[in-house]
Amino acid sequence: MNASTASLQTGTHDVLGVCPHDCPDTCSLVTTVQDGVAIKVHGNPAHPHTNGALCTKVSRYTERTYHPERLLHPLKRVGPKGPGARFERVGWDEALGAIAERLQALCDDPTAGPEAILPYSYAGTMGLVQGDGMAQRFMHKLGASLLDRTVCAAAGAEALTLTLGTKRGMGVEHFADAKLILVWGSNPITSSVHFWRYAQEAKRRGARLVCIDPRRSETAERCHEHIALLPGTDAALALALMHELITHDWLDHDYIAHYTEGFAALRERALQWTPERAAAVCGIEAQQIRDLAAEYAATARRGEGAAIRLNYGMQRVRGGGNAVRAVACLPALVGAWRVPSGGMLLSSSGNFAADKATLQRPDLLGARKPRTVNMSDIGNSLCHAGGDGFGPRIRAVVVYNSNPVAIAPDSSKVVQGFAREDLFTVVLEHFQTDTADYADYLLPATTQLEHWDIHTAYGHTDVQLNRPAIAPLGEAKSNAQIFRELAARMGFDEACFHDSDETMCRQAFGATIDFDTLLRQGFFTLPTAAAPFAQGGFGTPSGRCEFDSRVLRARGLDGLPDHVPNYEPAGADPHYPLAMISPPARNFLNSSFVNVSSLQALEKEPVLEMHPTDAQARGIADGQMVRVFNARGETHCRARVGGRARRGVVNGLGVWWRKLGANGTNVNELTHQGLTDLGGGPCFYDCAVEVQSL
C-alpha cells in the first residue's frame, strides 16, 4: 500500500506502523481504518515489548492527525514575524519555486555561499527516512552547514561510547529478572512505560527498586526508596558508591582484571569520595550511600541481577558526561555484567547497523567541508554577525522535525535570532508552532499515519516499519517528498533524488534484515547476546571497559570520571538561590502534543513544583501564580506546593509552547546556552532561578 492509495480501501482494516516519537520504547502501532479514515490507534499485541499497550499521548494520535488546526496547505507569511503572524495560502509550485530561488541566490552570493544555509531538525520523528534521509541528501548536495544534533542525548552518548565503546547494554526484557533495579535519572512511568512493565514484574518477584532523581516523580513514588539528590551531583554519588565497594572489598577482582582498564587510577579517584563528602555535595544522607552500595554489591555477589536503568535526564548538566561515565563504571566493578539481568541500559541504539551512507549520501558533499553548527547553541549562532572563525552569517534556516523557538535553551536569544528580518526561514510542520510564527514559508508535512518510514530504537532491539494507513490530508507531503521536490527545482539530477519513500525504507538495512518480515509483522528482532559483556567484548580501543579512557587522554583530558559542578549550582548565587529542572509534563513529549485538546486539558497550564519550605519562605501558596526569573528572563507559572520538589529545587514542567504561556514564554526563557563537558549537549537542568508571587 502507498500513501496515495491508502484511502481507496473501503470497509474496516488494520495497518501496522510504529510510534515516531523520541521515547526508548518505540512502540508498534496498529491503526484501525474505516473507509479511509483512521478511527483508532492502539498498541500491537503481537509485538513483545509493546504488548498491546500505548502511553496516553500516542493513544490520542488520531486527535493529533485530525486536529482542526492541522496545516493542510502551503502558506506564505504576509505580516510581521512572531506571535500572531499572518499567512496566506499559496500553491506548492509557488512555495517550492520561491524557496529554491532564495536558496540558490544564497549559494551564488560570494558573501554567503551554501554554508549560510542551515538545516535544523531533531526527533519530531525518529524515522530514518522522514528524519534525516532525503533531507540530508538535499543538504549534502547543496553544501549547507552541517548540524550537530546534540539537544537530547549528546553527553550521555559520548560518555557511554568512551566507557563501553558502544551504545549498548542490557536487554530491556531482562530487567524483569533483576533483584535490584536502580532507576537513575529517569521517570519511566512518563517516558518509558514498557520498561516500567518489566520493572513492575521484577518487583512482584521480590526485586527492590530504588529511584535516584531530584524530583519525587510518579516513578519515585512507586519505588521502595527515593534518593533525592541535588541536580548535577550524580557523579559524586557514583564515586562514593565506588568508595564503599573498594574500602569493603565488594569487588569482582576477576572481572576487573580480565575485562577492564584503569582500575588503579579509578581506585585512587574514588577513595577521595567518602560518603560524607558526597552526601554534602548531593544534599542527601551518608547512610543512604552506604546502604545502597552494600545492597548493590551483595546482589551482584549472589549472582543475581543488579541492574541500572539510566536515562538522559541526569546528563543535561555541565558535568553530565562525567556523571554517565561514573555510573557506567559501576557494573564492571562488581561483575554485574556476568548475568543477563545485571548491568546497565542507557541506550540500545548501538545494536542497529543502518546504512546511513546510502540513506544520507554524505558523498554528495564532494571535497567540500562545511562548518558544523551546534543546535544547542542556536540562539548565539543565529545572532552571530559572521566572521571571526564562525564563517558566513546564517542567512537561511530550514526547520523540520523540531520547534527550536520553544525547545532550545535561552529562548529569548533564539527568538532574537529567528526575528531577524534578513533571515529566510522555511518550516515543515503539522501546526503553527512557536517556530512556525517566524517562517517565511510554512509547508504542511504528513503525520506518521500518512507516510512510509523505518525505525530503530534506543530501548530495545527491534527494527520496525511504518506503513501509511491513510492518504495525506489536504495537500500535506512527507518530509522526504518535500525535499525530493526541492531537489528537482534546484536542478539536482542524481538518481538518489528519485528514490521513493518505500525504496529508502528498503535501503536502510539492505540485505541485513528480512524486509518481507517487516511487511508481514511490522518488526524484525535483531539477534543479540543475552549478556552482552559477560566476557568483555567492549568496543573501546582496549576492548575493555575503560575506567580511564584512552580517547580522553589522547585529547589531553582527564581519562577518569569526576564530579564536575554545575554552572549554576543550587544556593551558589544569592540572587537566584533555587536550582530549576524542567522535566517533561506527563502528557507532553517535549513540545509535541501540547496543542492536543484532551492532553492539554489534563495538564491544564504551565506548573512550577515547589517544596513547602521554599514556598513558605517566599509567601507563596499552593495554586498561586508565580514569577520565575533570572538574569536571562522570566516565565509565569501556577505554583504547586507539595512533595514533588525537594528543598532548594523547583521543577518547571515542560515544554509548553511559548504562545500558550501566561506571559508568552516558557521554562527555556530561563535556561542558558552553556554546553556539557562531553558531547556539547545542552544544560537544561543546570539553571538557577528565583521565584516570587504575582
Side-chain angles (χ1 to χ4, degrees), residues 8 31 38 115 139 173 221 229 237 243 296 309 320 330-331 335 357 399 461 478 489 521 582 591 609 629 631 685 692:
L8 299 181
T31 301
E115 282 187 294
M139 292 296 171
E173 65 276 11
E221 288 179 328
L229 75 180
L237 173 57
H243 177 282
Y296 183 67
R309 182 58 170 109
L330 292 171
V399 180
T461 56
S478 73
R489 281 163 176 79
Q521 67 180 27
S582 47
S591 74
E609 297 172 345
F629 64 96
Y685 300 172
Q692 293 177 347

PDB file of all heavy atoms in Angstrom, residues 8 31 38 115 139 173 221 229 237 243 296 309 320 330-331 335 357 399 461 478 489 521 582 591 609 629 631 685 692:
ATOM      1  N   LEU A   8      -8.153   4.529  -0.548  1.00  0.00           N
ATOM      2  CA  LEU A   8      -9.074   3.941  -1.511  1.00  0.00           C
ATOM      3  C   LEU A   8      -9.742   2.677  -0.991  1.00  0.00           C
ATOM      4  O   LEU A   8     -10.751   2.242  -1.529  1.00  0.00           O
ATOM      5  CB  LEU A   8      -8.327   3.646  -2.815  1.00  0.00           C
ATOM      6  CG  LEU A   8      -7.720   4.870  -3.521  1.00  0.00           C
ATOM      7  CD1 LEU A   8      -7.027   4.432  -4.807  1.00  0.00           C
ATOM      8  CD2 LEU A   8      -8.780   5.928  -3.809  1.00  0.00           C
ATOM      9  N   THR A  31      -3.188   0.773  13.434  1.00  0.00           N
ATOM     10  CA  THR A  31      -4.167   1.815  13.141  1.00  0.00           C
ATOM     11  C   THR A  31      -5.373   1.172  12.475  1.00  0.00           C
ATOM     12  O   THR A  31      -5.242   0.500  11.446  1.00  0.00           O
ATOM     13  CB  THR A  31      -3.581   2.893  12.210  1.00  0.00           C
ATOM     14  OG1 THR A  31      -2.440   3.481  12.840  1.00  0.00           O
ATOM     15  CG2 THR A  31      -4.609   3.972  11.916  1.00  0.00           C
ATOM     16  N   ALA A  38      -8.759   7.072   9.702  1.00  0.00           N
ATOM     17  CA  ALA A  38      -8.191   6.403  10.871  1.00  0.00           C
ATOM     18  C   ALA A  38      -9.093   6.668  12.068  1.00  0.00           C
ATOM     19  O   ALA A  38      -9.309   7.826  12.452  1.00  0.00           O
ATOM     20  CB  ALA A  38      -6.785   6.917  11.150  1.00  0.00           C
ATOM     21  N   GLU A 115      27.059  27.623   2.871  1.00  0.00           N
ATOM     22  CA  GLU A 115      27.182  27.496   4.326  1.00  0.00           C
ATOM     23  C   GLU A 115      26.314  28.502   5.078  1.00  0.00           C
ATOM     24  O   GLU A 115      26.099  28.351   6.285  1.00  0.00           O
ATOM     25  CB  GLU A 115      28.638  27.676   4.752  1.00  0.00           C
ATOM     26  CG  GLU A 115      29.504  26.458   4.528  1.00  0.00           C
ATOM     27  CD  GLU A 115      30.882  26.662   5.129  1.00  0.00           C
ATOM     28  OE1 GLU A 115      31.617  27.533   4.640  1.00  0.00           O
ATOM     29  OE2 GLU A 115      31.212  25.946   6.098  1.00  0.00           O
ATOM     30  N   MET A 139      20.679  18.486   1.642  1.00  0.00           N
ATOM     31  CA  MET A 139      21.600  19.428   2.269  1.00  0.00           C
ATOM     32  C   MET A 139      23.053  19.118   1.906  1.00  0.00           C
ATOM     33  O   MET A 139      23.862  20.039   1.734  1.00  0.00           O
ATOM     34  CB  MET A 139      21.402  19.429   3.781  1.00  0.00           C
ATOM     35  CG  MET A 139      20.067  19.999   4.226  1.00  0.00           C
ATOM     36  SD  MET A 139      19.893  21.759   3.790  1.00  0.00           S
ATOM     37  CE  MET A 139      18.155  22.032   4.178  1.00  0.00           C
ATOM     38  N   GLU A 173      14.104  -6.553  28.374  1.00  0.00           N
ATOM     39  CA  GLU A 173      13.243  -7.606  28.921  1.00  0.00           C
ATOM     40  C   GLU A 173      13.876  -8.306  30.117  1.00  0.00           C
ATOM     41  O   GLU A 173      13.164  -8.881  30.953  1.00  0.00           O
ATOM     42  CB  GLU A 173      12.897  -8.621  27.830  1.00  0.00           C
ATOM     43  CG  GLU A 173      14.072  -9.415  27.283  1.00  0.00           C
ATOM     44  CD  GLU A 173      14.839  -8.711  26.192  1.00  0.00           C
ATOM     45  OE1 GLU A 173      14.599  -7.511  25.968  1.00  0.00           O
ATOM     46  OE2 GLU A 173      15.689  -9.384  25.548  1.00  0.00           O
ATOM     47  N   GLU A 221       7.610   7.585  43.528  1.00  0.00           N
ATOM     48  CA  GLU A 221       6.558   7.236  44.485  1.00  0.00           C
ATOM     49  C   GLU A 221       6.313   5.734  44.553  1.00  0.00           C
ATOM     50  O   GLU A 221       5.868   5.218  45.584  1.00  0.00           O
ATOM     51  CB  GLU A 221       5.250   7.920  44.088  1.00  0.00           C
ATOM     52  CG  GLU A 221       5.236   9.414  44.327  1.00  0.00           C
ATOM     53  CD  GLU A 221       3.929  10.040  43.888  1.00  0.00           C
ATOM     54  OE1 GLU A 221       3.316   9.551  42.919  1.00  0.00           O
ATOM     55  OE2 GLU A 221       3.524  11.027  44.512  1.00  0.00           O
ATOM     56  N   LEU A 229      18.712  13.469  45.270  1.00  0.00           N
ATOM     57  CA  LEU A 229      19.950  14.243  45.233  1.00  0.00           C
ATOM     58  C   LEU A 229      19.746  15.571  44.512  1.00  0.00           C
ATOM     59  O   LEU A 229      18.781  15.756  43.763  1.00  0.00           O
ATOM     60  CB  LEU A 229      21.058  13.444  44.581  1.00  0.00           C
ATOM     61  CG  LEU A 229      21.099  13.245  43.055  1.00  0.00           C
ATOM     62  CD1 LEU A 229      22.324  12.405  42.687  1.00  0.00           C
ATOM     63  CD2 LEU A 229      19.849  12.635  42.471  1.00  0.00           C
ATOM     64  N   LEU A 237      27.708  10.954  43.728  1.00  0.00           N
ATOM     65  CA  LEU A 237      27.068   9.777  44.318  1.00  0.00           C
ATOM     66  C   LEU A 237      27.711   8.498  43.796  1.00  0.00           C
ATOM     67  O   LEU A 237      28.025   7.580  44.572  1.00  0.00           O
ATOM     68  CB  LEU A 237      25.573   9.785  43.995  1.00  0.00           C
ATOM     69  CG  LEU A 237      24.783   8.536  44.402  1.00  0.00           C
ATOM     70  CD1 LEU A 237      24.906   8.251  45.895  1.00  0.00           C
ATOM     71  CD2 LEU A 237      23.316   8.681  44.001  1.00  0.00           C
ATOM     72  N   HIS A 243      33.657   4.215  46.317  1.00  0.00           N
ATOM     73  CA  HIS A 243      34.442   4.271  47.560  1.00  0.00           C
ATOM     74  C   HIS A 243      34.069   3.126  48.487  1.00  0.00           C
ATOM     75  O   HIS A 243      34.941   2.429  49.035  1.00  0.00           O
ATOM     76  CB  HIS A 243      34.205   5.621  48.244  1.00  0.00           C
ATOM     77  CG  HIS A 243      34.896   5.785  49.561  1.00  0.00           C
ATOM     78  ND1 HIS A 243      34.426   5.210  50.735  1.00  0.00           N
ATOM     79  CD2 HIS A 243      36.037   6.446  49.909  1.00  0.00           C
ATOM     80  CE1 HIS A 243      35.228   5.519  51.731  1.00  0.00           C
ATOM     81  NE2 HIS A 243      36.224   6.273  51.258  1.00  0.00           N
ATOM     82  N   TYR A 296      23.824  -3.105  46.524  1.00  0.00           N
ATOM     83  CA  TYR A 296      24.241  -3.300  45.138  1.00  0.00           C
ATOM     84  C   TYR A 296      25.292  -4.400  45.053  1.00  0.00           C
ATOM     85  O   TYR A 296      25.195  -5.323  44.220  1.00  0.00           O
ATOM     86  CB  TYR A 296      24.784  -1.979  44.593  1.00  0.00           C
ATOM     87  CG  TYR A 296      25.201  -2.007  43.136  1.00  0.00           C
ATOM     88  CD1 TYR A 296      24.262  -2.166  42.123  1.00  0.00           C
ATOM     89  CD2 TYR A 296      26.532  -1.846  42.777  1.00  0.00           C
ATOM     90  CE1 TYR A 296      24.639  -2.172  40.786  1.00  0.00           C
ATOM     91  CE2 TYR A 296      26.923  -1.853  41.440  1.00  0.00           C
ATOM     92  CZ  TYR A 296      25.969  -2.016  40.456  1.00  0.00           C
ATOM     93  OH  TYR A 296      26.352  -2.021  39.140  1.00  0.00           O
ATOM     94  N   ARG A 309      18.901   1.230  35.273  1.00  0.00           N
ATOM     95  CA  ARG A 309      18.229   1.838  34.105  1.00  0.00           C
ATOM     96  C   ARG A 309      18.481   3.332  34.173  1.00  0.00           C
ATOM     97  O   ARG A 309      17.892   4.054  34.970  1.00  0.00           O
ATOM     98  CB  ARG A 309      16.726   1.547  34.096  1.00  0.00           C
ATOM     99  CG  ARG A 309      16.006   2.139  32.860  1.00  0.00           C
ATOM    100  CD  ARG A 309      16.605   1.598  31.584  1.00  0.00           C
ATOM    101  NE  ARG A 309      15.833   1.920  30.383  1.00  0.00           N
ATOM    102  CZ  ARG A 309      16.213   2.779  29.444  1.00  0.00           C
ATOM    103  NH1 ARG A 309      17.341   3.464  29.606  1.00  0.00           N
ATOM    104  NH2 ARG A 309      15.477   2.961  28.371  1.00  0.00           N
ATOM    105  N   GLY A 320      27.409  16.373  32.886  1.00  0.00           N
ATOM    106  CA  GLY A 320      26.575  15.223  32.543  1.00  0.00           C
ATOM    107  C   GLY A 320      27.337  14.062  31.943  1.00  0.00           C
ATOM    108  O   GLY A 320      27.040  12.894  32.225  1.00  0.00           O
ATOM    109  N   LEU A 330      30.173   1.327  37.305  1.00  0.00           N
ATOM    110  CA  LEU A 330      29.726   0.527  38.451  1.00  0.00           C
ATOM    111  C   LEU A 330      29.510  -0.950  38.125  1.00  0.00           C
ATOM    112  O   LEU A 330      29.974  -1.826  38.876  1.00  0.00           O
ATOM    113  CB  LEU A 330      28.459   1.144  39.046  1.00  0.00           C
ATOM    114  CG  LEU A 330      28.633   2.503  39.739  1.00  0.00           C
ATOM    115  CD1 LEU A 330      27.272   3.095  40.089  1.00  0.00           C
ATOM    116  CD2 LEU A 330      29.483   2.361  40.994  1.00  0.00           C
ATOM    117  N   PRO A 331      28.802  -1.305  37.035  1.00  0.00           N
ATOM    118  CA  PRO A 331      28.560  -2.739  36.798  1.00  0.00           C
ATOM    119  C   PRO A 331      29.834  -3.555  36.638  1.00  0.00           C
ATOM    120  O   PRO A 331      29.885  -4.715  37.080  1.00  0.00           O
ATOM    121  CB  PRO A 331      27.736  -2.736  35.507  1.00  0.00           C
ATOM    122  CG  PRO A 331      27.075  -1.404  35.467  1.00  0.00           C
ATOM    123  CD  PRO A 331      28.079  -0.467  36.056  1.00  0.00           C
ATOM    124  N   GLY A 335      31.056  -6.935  38.654  1.00  0.00           N
ATOM    125  CA  GLY A 335      30.786  -8.064  37.762  1.00  0.00           C
ATOM    126  C   GLY A 335      29.318  -8.246  37.450  1.00  0.00           C
ATOM    127  O   GLY A 335      28.887  -9.362  37.118  1.00  0.00           O
ATOM    128  N   ALA A 357      25.113   5.818   5.145  1.00  0.00           N
ATOM    129  CA  ALA A 357      25.805   6.364   3.976  1.00  0.00           C
ATOM    130  C   ALA A 357      24.907   6.332   2.746  1.00  0.00           C
ATOM    131  O   ALA A 357      24.892   7.266   1.940  1.00  0.00           O
ATOM    132  CB  ALA A 357      27.089   5.583   3.716  1.00  0.00           C
ATOM    133  N   VAL A 399      13.730  24.394   8.896  1.00  0.00           N
ATOM    134  CA  VAL A 399      13.389  23.695  10.133  1.00  0.00           C
ATOM    135  C   VAL A 399      12.410  22.575   9.825  1.00  0.00           C
ATOM    136  O   VAL A 399      11.380  22.799   9.177  1.00  0.00           O
ATOM    137  CB  VAL A 399      12.761  24.660  11.161  1.00  0.00           C
ATOM    138  CG1 VAL A 399      12.404  23.914  12.447  1.00  0.00           C
ATOM    139  CG2 VAL A 399      13.698  25.828  11.458  1.00  0.00           C
ATOM    140  N   THR A 461      15.646  -3.787  20.705  1.00  0.00           N
ATOM    141  CA  THR A 461      16.477  -4.122  19.535  1.00  0.00           C
ATOM    142  C   THR A 461      15.644  -4.587  18.341  1.00  0.00           C
ATOM    143  O   THR A 461      16.051  -5.472  17.599  1.00  0.00           O
ATOM    144  CB  THR A 461      17.511  -5.201  19.901  1.00  0.00           C
ATOM    145  OG1 THR A 461      16.824  -6.350  20.427  1.00  0.00           O
ATOM    146  CG2 THR A 461      18.494  -4.695  20.942  1.00  0.00           C
ATOM    147  N   SER A 478       5.041  14.238   2.609  1.00  0.00           N
ATOM    148  CA  SER A 478       6.046  13.748   3.552  1.00  0.00           C
ATOM    149  C   SER A 478       7.284  14.634   3.487  1.00  0.00           C
ATOM    150  O   SER A 478       7.554  15.297   2.482  1.00  0.00           O
ATOM    151  CB  SER A 478       6.418  12.302   3.236  1.00  0.00           C
ATOM    152  OG  SER A 478       7.220  12.225   2.063  1.00  0.00           O
ATOM    153  N   ARG A 489      13.754  21.249  -8.178  1.00  0.00           N
ATOM    154  CA  ARG A 489      13.745  22.666  -8.527  1.00  0.00           C
ATOM    155  C   ARG A 489      15.130  23.294  -8.450  1.00  0.00           C
ATOM    156  O   ARG A 489      15.377  24.329  -9.067  1.00  0.00           O
ATOM    157  CB  ARG A 489      12.753  23.403  -7.631  1.00  0.00           C
ATOM    158  CG  ARG A 489      11.314  23.216  -8.107  1.00  0.00           C
ATOM    159  CD  ARG A 489      10.296  23.568  -7.039  1.00  0.00           C
ATOM    160  NE  ARG A 489       8.947  23.456  -7.570  1.00  0.00           N
ATOM    161  CZ  ARG A 489       8.287  22.311  -7.719  1.00  0.00           C
ATOM    162  NH1 ARG A 489       8.882  21.167  -7.395  1.00  0.00           N
ATOM    163  NH2 ARG A 489       7.052  22.282  -8.211  1.00  0.00           N
ATOM    164  N   GLN A 521       4.819  -8.505   9.662  1.00  0.00           N
ATOM    165  CA  GLN A 521       4.504  -8.359  11.090  1.00  0.00           C
ATOM    166  C   GLN A 521       4.866  -6.986  11.660  1.00  0.00           C
ATOM    167  O   GLN A 521       4.553  -6.699  12.817  1.00  0.00           O
ATOM    168  CB  GLN A 521       5.182  -9.452  11.913  1.00  0.00           C
ATOM    169  CG  GLN A 521       6.705  -9.378  11.962  1.00  0.00           C
ATOM    170  CD  GLN A 521       7.292 -10.508  12.818  1.00  0.00           C
ATOM    171  OE1 GLN A 521       6.689 -11.579  12.954  1.00  0.00           O
ATOM    172  NE2 GLN A 521       8.452 -10.250  13.412  1.00  0.00           N
ATOM    173  N   SER A 582      13.639  21.016  34.451  1.00  0.00           N
ATOM    174  CA  SER A 582      12.416  21.159  33.639  1.00  0.00           C
ATOM    175  C   SER A 582      12.063  19.846  32.952  1.00  0.00           C
ATOM    176  O   SER A 582      12.126  19.748  31.722  1.00  0.00           O
ATOM    177  CB  SER A 582      12.598  22.282  32.608  1.00  0.00           C
ATOM    178  OG  SER A 582      13.834  22.167  31.931  1.00  0.00           O
ATOM    179  N   SER A 591       7.860  19.447  23.036  1.00  0.00           N
ATOM    180  CA  SER A 591       6.760  20.368  22.711  1.00  0.00           C
ATOM    181  C   SER A 591       5.687  19.699  21.862  1.00  0.00           C
ATOM    182  O   SER A 591       4.743  20.366  21.430  1.00  0.00           O
ATOM    183  CB  SER A 591       7.293  21.617  21.999  1.00  0.00           C
ATOM    184  OG  SER A 591       7.669  21.335  20.668  1.00  0.00           O
ATOM    185  N   GLU A 609       6.583  23.219  40.392  1.00  0.00           N
ATOM    186  CA  GLU A 609       6.501  22.474  41.644  1.00  0.00           C
ATOM    187  C   GLU A 609       7.509  23.042  42.634  1.00  0.00           C
ATOM    188  O   GLU A 609       8.678  23.247  42.307  1.00  0.00           O
ATOM    189  CB  GLU A 609       6.768  20.996  41.402  1.00  0.00           C
ATOM    190  CG  GLU A 609       5.735  20.340  40.488  1.00  0.00           C
ATOM    191  CD  GLU A 609       6.098  18.921  40.089  1.00  0.00           C
ATOM    192  OE1 GLU A 609       7.267  18.517  40.264  1.00  0.00           O
ATOM    193  OE2 GLU A 609       5.203  18.206  39.582  1.00  0.00           O
ATOM    194  N   PHE A 629      12.266  33.627  37.595  1.00  0.00           N
ATOM    195  CA  PHE A 629      13.118  34.530  36.832  1.00  0.00           C
ATOM    196  C   PHE A 629      14.589  34.349  37.172  1.00  0.00           C
ATOM    197  O   PHE A 629      14.967  33.791  38.211  1.00  0.00           O
ATOM    198  CB  PHE A 629      12.698  35.981  37.089  1.00  0.00           C
ATOM    199  CG  PHE A 629      12.887  36.448  38.523  1.00  0.00           C
ATOM    200  CD1 PHE A 629      14.024  37.151  38.900  1.00  0.00           C
ATOM    201  CD2 PHE A 629      11.924  36.184  39.485  1.00  0.00           C
ATOM    202  CE1 PHE A 629      14.202  37.578  40.213  1.00  0.00           C
ATOM    203  CE2 PHE A 629      12.090  36.607  40.801  1.00  0.00           C
ATOM    204  CZ  PHE A 629      13.230  37.306  41.165  1.00  0.00           C
ATOM    205  N   ALA A 631      18.598  36.296  35.370  1.00  0.00           N
ATOM    206  CA  ALA A 631      19.087  37.404  34.546  1.00  0.00           C
ATOM    207  C   ALA A 631      18.718  37.253  33.079  1.00  0.00           C
ATOM    208  O   ALA A 631      18.746  38.232  32.325  1.00  0.00           O
ATOM    209  CB  ALA A 631      20.599  37.523  34.702  1.00  0.00           C
ATOM    210  N   TYR A 685      19.018  21.235  32.861  1.00  0.00           N
ATOM    211  CA  TYR A 685      18.771  21.012  34.285  1.00  0.00           C
ATOM    212  C   TYR A 685      19.876  21.617  35.150  1.00  0.00           C
ATOM    213  O   TYR A 685      20.091  21.209  36.289  1.00  0.00           O
ATOM    214  CB  TYR A 685      18.639  19.518  34.578  1.00  0.00           C
ATOM    215  CG  TYR A 685      17.498  18.828  33.843  1.00  0.00           C
ATOM    216  CD1 TYR A 685      17.362  17.454  33.872  1.00  0.00           C
ATOM    217  CD2 TYR A 685      16.553  19.558  33.110  1.00  0.00           C
ATOM    218  CE1 TYR A 685      16.319  16.815  33.201  1.00  0.00           C
ATOM    219  CE2 TYR A 685      15.524  18.927  32.440  1.00  0.00           C
ATOM    220  CZ  TYR A 685      15.409  17.556  32.485  1.00  0.00           C
ATOM    221  OH  TYR A 685      14.381  16.928  31.814  1.00  0.00           O
ATOM    222  N   GLN A 692       8.947  34.518  42.785  1.00  0.00           N
ATOM    223  CA  GLN A 692       8.158  35.498  43.523  1.00  0.00           C
ATOM    224  C   GLN A 692       6.692  35.314  43.181  1.00  0.00           C
ATOM    225  O   GLN A 692       6.343  34.896  42.077  1.00  0.00           O
ATOM    226  CB  GLN A 692       8.569  36.931  43.159  1.00  0.00           C
ATOM    227  CG  GLN A 692       9.963  37.336  43.582  1.00  0.00           C
ATOM    228  CD  GLN A 692      10.306  38.742  43.112  1.00  0.00           C
ATOM    229  OE1 GLN A 692       9.605  39.323  42.276  1.00  0.00           O
ATOM    230  NE2 GLN A 692      11.393  39.290  43.636  1.00  0.00           N
TER     231      GLN A 692
END
